[in-house]
mmCIF file of all heavy atoms in Angstrom:
data_model
loop_
_atom_site.group_PDB
_atom_site.id
_atom_site.type_symbol
_atom_site.label_atom_id
_atom_site.label_comp_id
_atom_site.label_asym_id
_atom_site.label_seq_id
_atom_site.Cartn_x
_atom_site.Cartn_y
_atom_site.Cartn_z
ATOM 1 N N SER A 34 18.955 -160.521 27.005
ATOM 2 C CA SER A 34 19.165 -159.776 28.241
ATOM 3 C C SER A 34 19.847 -158.438 27.951
ATOM 4 O O SER A 34 20.441 -158.243 26.899
ATOM 5 C CB SER A 34 20.065 -160.571 29.196
ATOM 6 O OG SER A 34 21.375 -160.564 28.689
ATOM 7 N N THR A 37 23.438 -158.712 27.015
ATOM 8 C CA THR A 37 23.762 -159.039 25.627
ATOM 9 C C THR A 37 23.677 -157.807 24.730
ATOM 10 O O THR A 37 24.499 -157.604 23.837
ATOM 11 C CB THR A 37 22.839 -160.147 25.120
ATOM 12 O OG1 THR A 37 22.957 -161.258 26.001
ATOM 13 C CG2 THR A 37 23.222 -160.571 23.718
ATOM 14 N N ARG A 40 26.733 -155.885 25.277
ATOM 15 C CA ARG A 40 27.888 -156.490 24.600
ATOM 16 C C ARG A 40 27.857 -156.191 23.109
ATOM 17 O O ARG A 40 28.874 -155.834 22.502
ATOM 18 C CB ARG A 40 27.893 -158.001 24.828
ATOM 19 C CG ARG A 40 28.173 -158.383 26.276
ATOM 20 C CD ARG A 40 28.524 -159.845 26.425
ATOM 21 N NE ARG A 40 28.724 -160.193 27.839
ATOM 22 C CZ ARG A 40 27.784 -160.727 28.608
ATOM 23 N NH1 ARG A 40 26.585 -161.017 28.112
ATOM 24 N NH2 ARG A 40 28.051 -160.986 29.881
ATOM 25 N N ARG A 48 25.393 -163.779 19.047
ATOM 26 C CA ARG A 48 24.584 -164.567 18.109
ATOM 27 C C ARG A 48 23.357 -163.811 17.630
ATOM 28 O O ARG A 48 22.960 -163.895 16.485
ATOM 29 C CB ARG A 48 24.119 -165.864 18.779
ATOM 30 C CG ARG A 48 25.212 -166.906 18.913
ATOM 31 C CD ARG A 48 24.690 -168.328 18.825
ATOM 32 N NE ARG A 48 25.776 -169.279 19.110
ATOM 33 C CZ ARG A 48 26.174 -169.602 20.342
ATOM 34 N NH1 ARG A 48 25.536 -169.086 21.389
ATOM 35 N NH2 ARG A 48 27.170 -170.437 20.521
ATOM 36 N N LEU A 71 27.916 -143.322 35.249
ATOM 37 C CA LEU A 71 27.894 -143.777 36.640
ATOM 38 C C LEU A 71 28.703 -145.065 36.779
ATOM 39 O O LEU A 71 29.469 -145.253 37.712
ATOM 40 C CB LEU A 71 26.444 -144.009 37.076
ATOM 41 C CG LEU A 71 26.260 -144.442 38.521
ATOM 42 C CD1 LEU A 71 26.855 -143.405 39.464
ATOM 43 C CD2 LEU A 71 24.778 -144.626 38.817
ATOM 44 N N LYS A 72 28.512 -145.938 35.808
ATOM 45 C CA LYS A 72 29.202 -147.220 35.848
ATOM 46 C C LYS A 72 30.693 -147.088 35.567
ATOM 47 O O LYS A 72 31.537 -147.641 36.266
ATOM 48 C CB LYS A 72 28.570 -148.140 34.782
ATOM 49 C CG LYS A 72 29.067 -149.570 34.867
ATOM 50 C CD LYS A 72 28.467 -150.253 36.079
ATOM 51 C CE LYS A 72 28.833 -151.707 36.124
ATOM 52 N NZ LYS A 72 29.745 -152.084 37.162
ATOM 53 P P DC C 15 31.737 -165.294 21.021
ATOM 54 O OP1 DC C 15 31.633 -164.779 19.721
ATOM 55 O OP2 DC C 15 32.174 -164.562 22.208
ATOM 56 O "O5'" DC C 15 30.439 -166.130 21.409
ATOM 57 C "C5'" DC C 15 29.375 -166.308 20.486
ATOM 58 C "C4'" DC C 15 28.162 -166.750 21.240
ATOM 59 O "O4'" DC C 15 28.603 -167.555 22.358
ATOM 60 C "C3'" DC C 15 27.351 -165.599 21.851
ATOM 61 O "O3'" DC C 15 25.959 -165.932 21.738
ATOM 62 C "C2'" DC C 15 27.793 -165.564 23.311
ATOM 63 C "C1'" DC C 15 28.099 -167.027 23.588
ATOM 64 N N1 DC C 15 29.185 -167.209 24.612
ATOM 65 C C2 DC C 15 28.857 -167.793 25.837
ATOM 66 O O2 DC C 15 27.686 -168.176 26.044
ATOM 67 N N3 DC C 15 29.818 -167.955 26.780
ATOM 68 C C4 DC C 15 31.052 -167.556 26.522
ATOM 69 N N4 DC C 15 31.977 -167.726 27.479
ATOM 70 C C5 DC C 15 31.420 -166.957 25.278
ATOM 71 C C6 DC C 15 30.471 -166.797 24.360
ATOM 72 P P DT C 16 24.852 -164.884 22.072
ATOM 73 O OP1 DT C 16 23.636 -165.279 21.330
ATOM 74 O OP2 DT C 16 25.430 -163.546 21.944
ATOM 75 O "O5'" DT C 16 24.595 -165.179 23.609
ATOM 76 C "C5'" DT C 16 23.794 -166.290 24.001
ATOM 77 C "C4'" DT C 16 23.593 -166.256 25.482
ATOM 78 O "O4'" DT C 16 24.867 -166.409 26.150
ATOM 79 C "C3'" DT C 16 23.001 -164.942 26.007
ATOM 80 O "O3'" DT C 16 21.754 -165.251 26.599
ATOM 81 C "C2'" DT C 16 24.008 -164.431 27.031
ATOM 82 C "C1'" DT C 16 24.829 -165.667 27.338
ATOM 83 N N1 DT C 16 26.247 -165.443 27.723
ATOM 84 C C2 DT C 16 26.679 -165.955 28.922
ATOM 85 O O2 DT C 16 25.962 -166.546 29.697
ATOM 86 N N3 DT C 16 28.001 -165.712 29.191
ATOM 87 C C4 DT C 16 28.908 -165.059 28.378
ATOM 88 O O4 DT C 16 30.085 -164.927 28.714
ATOM 89 C C5 DT C 16 28.384 -164.550 27.143
ATOM 90 C C7 DT C 16 29.282 -163.812 26.211
ATOM 91 C C6 DT C 16 27.087 -164.755 26.862
ATOM 92 P P DG C 17 20.727 -164.064 26.945
ATOM 93 O OP1 DG C 17 19.456 -164.356 26.252
ATOM 94 O OP2 DG C 17 21.396 -162.754 26.782
ATOM 95 O "O5'" DG C 17 20.503 -164.347 28.493
ATOM 96 C "C5'" DG C 17 20.237 -165.681 28.918
ATOM 97 C "C4'" DG C 17 20.457 -165.770 30.409
ATOM 98 O "O4'" DG C 17 21.878 -165.703 30.684
ATOM 99 C "C3'" DG C 17 19.795 -164.647 31.201
ATOM 100 O "O3'" DG C 17 19.222 -165.218 32.366
ATOM 101 C "C2'" DG C 17 20.955 -163.710 31.528
ATOM 102 C "C1'" DG C 17 22.136 -164.673 31.633
ATOM 103 N N9 DG C 17 23.434 -164.126 31.283
ATOM 104 C C8 DG C 17 23.749 -163.400 30.167
ATOM 105 N N7 DG C 17 25.021 -163.075 30.093
ATOM 106 C C5 DG C 17 25.575 -163.618 31.247
ATOM 107 C C6 DG C 17 26.913 -163.591 31.720
ATOM 108 O O6 DG C 17 27.907 -163.077 31.179
ATOM 109 N N1 DG C 17 27.048 -164.249 32.932
ATOM 110 C C2 DG C 17 26.016 -164.874 33.596
ATOM 111 N N2 DG C 17 26.333 -165.445 34.746
ATOM 112 N N3 DG C 17 24.758 -164.912 33.170
ATOM 113 C C4 DG C 17 24.610 -164.264 31.990
ATOM 114 P P DG C 21 28.091 -155.998 45.321
ATOM 115 O OP1 DG C 21 29.335 -156.326 46.046
ATOM 116 O OP2 DG C 21 26.809 -155.864 46.034
ATOM 117 O "O5'" DG C 21 28.323 -154.687 44.470
ATOM 118 C "C5'" DG C 21 29.275 -154.697 43.407
ATOM 119 C "C4'" DG C 21 29.173 -153.380 42.693
ATOM 120 O "O4'" DG C 21 28.109 -153.465 41.711
ATOM 121 C "C3'" DG C 21 28.803 -152.222 43.627
ATOM 122 O "O3'" DG C 21 29.585 -151.097 43.288
ATOM 123 C "C2'" DG C 21 27.333 -151.976 43.331
ATOM 124 C "C1'" DG C 21 27.272 -152.333 41.864
ATOM 125 N N9 DG C 21 25.968 -152.677 41.339
ATOM 126 C C8 DG C 21 24.890 -153.216 42.006
ATOM 127 N N7 DG C 21 23.837 -153.391 41.246
ATOM 128 C C5 DG C 21 24.247 -152.932 39.993
ATOM 129 C C6 DG C 21 23.554 -152.845 38.759
ATOM 130 O O6 DG C 21 22.399 -153.188 38.516
ATOM 131 N N1 DG C 21 24.352 -152.327 37.750
ATOM 132 C C2 DG C 21 25.652 -151.923 37.903
ATOM 133 N N2 DG C 21 26.263 -151.433 36.823
ATOM 134 N N3 DG C 21 26.325 -151.983 39.044
ATOM 135 C C4 DG C 21 25.560 -152.501 40.039
ATOM 136 P P DC C 22 29.827 -149.951 44.333
ATOM 137 O OP1 DC C 22 31.097 -150.184 45.035
ATOM 138 O OP2 DC C 22 28.585 -149.759 45.105
ATOM 139 O "O5'" DC C 22 30.007 -148.693 43.392
ATOM 140 C "C5'" DC C 22 30.831 -148.728 42.236
ATOM 141 C "C4'" DC C 22 30.277 -147.749 41.246
ATOM 142 O "O4'" DC C 22 29.223 -148.383 40.500
ATOM 143 C "C3'" DC C 22 29.628 -146.542 41.902
ATOM 144 O "O3'" DC C 22 30.577 -145.495 42.014
ATOM 145 C "C2'" DC C 22 28.499 -146.163 40.935
ATOM 146 C "C1'" DC C 22 28.257 -147.424 40.107
ATOM 147 N N1 DC C 22 26.923 -148.072 40.285
ATOM 148 C C2 DC C 22 26.144 -148.338 39.161
ATOM 149 O O2 DC C 22 26.573 -148.018 38.051
ATOM 150 N N3 DC C 22 24.937 -148.930 39.320
ATOM 151 C C4 DC C 22 24.515 -149.256 40.552
ATOM 152 N N4 DC C 22 23.321 -149.844 40.660
ATOM 153 C C5 DC C 22 25.302 -148.989 41.701
ATOM 154 C C6 DC C 22 26.490 -148.396 41.528
ATOM 155 P P DG C 23 30.853 -144.858 43.481
ATOM 156 O OP1 DG C 23 32.100 -144.080 43.350
ATOM 157 O OP2 DG C 23 30.690 -145.861 44.547
ATOM 158 O "O5'" DG C 23 29.649 -143.832 43.598
ATOM 159 C "C5'" DG C 23 29.479 -142.867 42.575
ATOM 160 C "C4'" DG C 23 28.172 -142.152 42.798
ATOM 161 O "O4'" DG C 23 27.080 -143.077 42.535
ATOM 162 C "C3'" DG C 23 27.957 -141.642 44.214
ATOM 163 O "O3'" DG C 23 27.485 -140.317 44.097
ATOM 164 C "C2'" DG C 23 26.899 -142.564 44.791
ATOM 165 C "C1'" DG C 23 26.116 -142.926 43.548
ATOM 166 N N9 DG C 23 25.397 -144.189 43.595
ATOM 167 C C8 DG C 23 25.749 -145.340 44.265
ATOM 168 N N7 DG C 23 24.890 -146.316 44.099
ATOM 169 C C5 DG C 23 23.916 -145.793 43.266
ATOM 170 C C6 DG C 23 22.740 -146.387 42.750
ATOM 171 O O6 DG C 23 22.322 -147.533 42.913
ATOM 172 N N1 DG C 23 22.027 -145.503 41.932
ATOM 173 C C2 DG C 23 22.419 -144.207 41.673
ATOM 174 N N2 DG C 23 21.614 -143.509 40.870
ATOM 175 N N3 DG C 23 23.514 -143.635 42.161
ATOM 176 C C4 DG C 23 24.216 -144.481 42.947
#
Side-chain angles (χ1 to χ4, degrees):
Chain A
S34 72
T37 304
R40 292 195 183 96
R48 285 212 186 81
L71 182 58
K72 188 73 175 110

